[in-house]
Amino acid sequence: MIPTEQFDKAFESAFRDRDNFIKYVKNFSEEQAFWKPPDNEWSIIEGIEHTLLVDVFFRKSALEVLEKAKKEGKWITELENKEKMSLEALRNREQGFVESPESLLPKGRNDLQQMIRELYPSKMAIHESLISYRTLDLSLLIPSPRPKYGALNIYERIYYSGIHDFLHQEQMIRASQNQSFPKLQY
């Protein structure tokens, strides 16, 4: 597959997951979104805020790696250990629980509808930031491997940005199935 196809397919997948995430979260009332699950999982609004924070982090970190590669003319990351989880394994949550770094923890935003409106533009900002690299082969460029995920290349990281949405939606589904979750009032 040529680089433009790899780039486009990765973003198609990430946008599909984002679209599903938006369709899911926009159905909650304020009361439901702020309801805190009893088992220390995040509320729906916390999951949305975290997702937006991760978008900013991903865009910034991907651009740093790409700009460094461009500056140095080195599009191959040399690693001793190139093991990684498959995208399917990541989507199936085989990596187990992954602790979020402090910088990506929800800060307490409470503007639910505004955050929902920011979800699509936030993902689009990642796409627009990386589009100038679309024609380059990024399959051997591996930004700082994560212990739980392994050596994911730039394309796989783009796919994972959508998988991340999917995993948080899955957590929200679990939370909304709790007996104490507020029911919609008609």
Side-chain angles (χ1 to χ4, degrees), residues 13-21 91 159 162-163 165-166:
S13 177
F15 276 115
R16 191 170 36 256
D17 283 319
R18 179 57 55 96
D19 289 342
N20 289 334
F21 186 74
R91 190 171 289 274
Y159 277 105
I163 292 169
D165 291 354
F166 171 83

Side-chain angles (χ1 to χ4, degrees), residues 77-83 145 151:
T77 306
E78 305 206 8
L79 298 171
E80 280 185 33
N81 183 359
K82 291 191 178 185
E83 288 183 33

Side-chain angles (χ1 to χ4, degrees), residues 13 24 29 35 42-43 57 62 67 88 106 125 129-130 147 157 162 186:
S13 177
Y24 182 74
S29 69
W35 179 81
W42 286 342
S43 66
F57 172 78
E67 288 168 2
E88 182 179 339
S129 295
L130 305 184
R157 288 282 179 99
Y186 296 101

Side-chain angles (χ1 to χ4, degrees), residues 24-40:
Y24 182 74
V25 299
K26 73 180 187 180
N27 292 314
F28 291 105
S29 69
E30 295 271 332
E31 180 185 11
Q32 291 171 322
F34 284 91
W35 179 81
K36 188 73 175 146
D39 50 5
N40 286 331

